[in-house]
Amino acid sequence: MYPLRHVHLGVDLWDGGYNYANFQFTGLEHMDSMWYFATWIANVFGNALTKLPWGDTMLGMNVYTSLVVGVTGGGAYLFCVKKLHMPAWVAFLGEVLALSLCWAPSAVLYNYLTYGLLLAGMICLYQGLMQGKDRYLVLAGGILGLNVGVRFSNLVQMGLILVVWYDGLMERKKPAKMLRETGLCILGYAGTLCAFLSYMACRYGLGEYTEGIRRLFAMTEHAPDYSALSMLEGMVWAYYNSKYWVKWLVLAVVIGFLVCLVLPRTWVWAKRILSILVIVTMQGWLVRRGYCIRDFASYDSIYFPCIFVFEMAIGLSLLQLPFRKVKREYRIQALLVILLLLLSSLGTNNAVYSSMNNLFLALPLFLWMVYRFLREYRHILIFPLQAVLVVGILLLAVQGVEFGIRYVYEEAAGARDLSAQVTGVPVLRGIHTSPQRAAQLTGLYAYLEAEDLLGEACILYGYIPGISYYMGLEPAINIWSDLDSYDPAVMLEDLEEVDTRGKKDGTKPLVILEGRYRQYIETGDFTELEQHVIACIKFRYICAYMEQNAYYLDYANDKYAVYRAVR
């Protein structure tokens, strides 16, 4: 139930509204084929949710999608307690903190379904190796193959085969057995993937599907942040940027170590207390210098504490991997933690933020590692390292839980004012946002209703894709048309198709622009926009389409401008 805490808060014009629009208007007739096929299962699943009771409202959809997040967290908790025999309180604290750090809107199902299936695949893989049951290995491969249908970039999850190879080498399995286990995973993976591709070929035609996926690979020409190199660089750069903070924490550990080394052997408690004081003082000094802030509408409140915990998790895990004296299950769990933190960031353009969003299994496993580390190693010279681990985790726990309670996603940042309830827009009934945003949306809806334009087709430009969902307007082209991933050439083709269709049936879609684009039209000055070449090219295409079809400004407020064609 914990993910339901914010279902009534926030009207996001970006990712949240964009995904709900894709669920409401699912299909090639509404969506760009590239994103439709790349996230097909998420779109179809989301569309099914819209048909449930209250699925025609944002509040209802928020409940359903939040339950997907909750089920993933609950599944991870049960696995940790029932199968890994982790102390329930460790698993519970880890899961609550993991859910608190889920910053992305629950509407982004291609993320949360990915995490759920990845968790299920890892559980099956673990069970298959530990119990020696072939069916679990086949099922693990099958689940990961299915995940490609949720988000095509989930192909990188094939990297989990490293767990099979690592376990085989450490357990000195015969090559034939390792090949058999690898083959079983590949059989499940290939079987599910082939079944999925066969279905897509039968339903849409293989040419249509492959063209959409081809464009997905080609889009890096216009959106370089989606390239494999850029994704890897983003992750590496995030860890590299933490070096300033890490060096001071390392210094605190070294000072603590020297304290423990210099003081008399019998002063055990004095050594521990002084070590803790040094580390807490250093942590406090870093916080004052910006290590984290108390503004929970900003990711800066949790970013570096998360990075530090990730580095400690990877470090502790690496210390366990080379030693056969470490229990087999602990070694496999350690490798799963590393792979989770790395694979979650690959396949997205959000760098380590994606890893922060997918800690359902990694965080409880890390806390259990620390718990065992504290219990099993009692030597006083190790105490400073244990202290910095505990202090770092406590800081993340305090910051993370408060972040989870107070943070509400709106436009890739936290909402700062949610005092107004939206009453004039049926889809948004019961949802709270800022008074300004509520007034803007209510005004736009009132205009559309008065002019009998509800349900019309629309062309949106600007960071306002959610308007399609909130106003019930059918998209005529890509809903989020100013994203770099939407190829200008494809946009021009789409506009020509809209124009051709309009000449046949006499209908012209509404054009709704974000406010700043209205200023470009009225002043004729595109200098500022020209700094973003692709966005400028596409906006000029829309302007040309509007000019050819005699569009005029019919409504405007401080956020939206609505243009209609002369009839």
Side-chain angles (χ1 to χ4, degrees), residues 97-108:
L97 183 54
L99 289 168
S100 296
L101 294 171
C102 288
W103 55 269
S106 61
V108 189

Side-chain angles (χ1 to χ4, degrees), residues 79 101 355 381 452:
F79 173 65
L101 294 171
S355 298
L381 294 181
D452 196 26

Side-chain angles (χ1 to χ4, degrees), residues 271-304:
K271 294 178 180 182
R272 290 179 175 174
I273 291 171
L274 286 174
S275 296
I276 292 172
L277 285 175
V278 168
I279 289 163
V280 169
T281 301
M282 180 66 78
Q283 195 83 272
W285 180 73
L286 293 179
V287 168
R288 289 179 64 86
R289 292 182 65 86
Y291 181 65
C292 60
I293 59 177
R294 297 292 294 170
D295 178 7
F296 294 98
S298 168
Y299 301 119
D300 290 342
S301 59
I302 58 167
Y303 183 74
F304 283 114

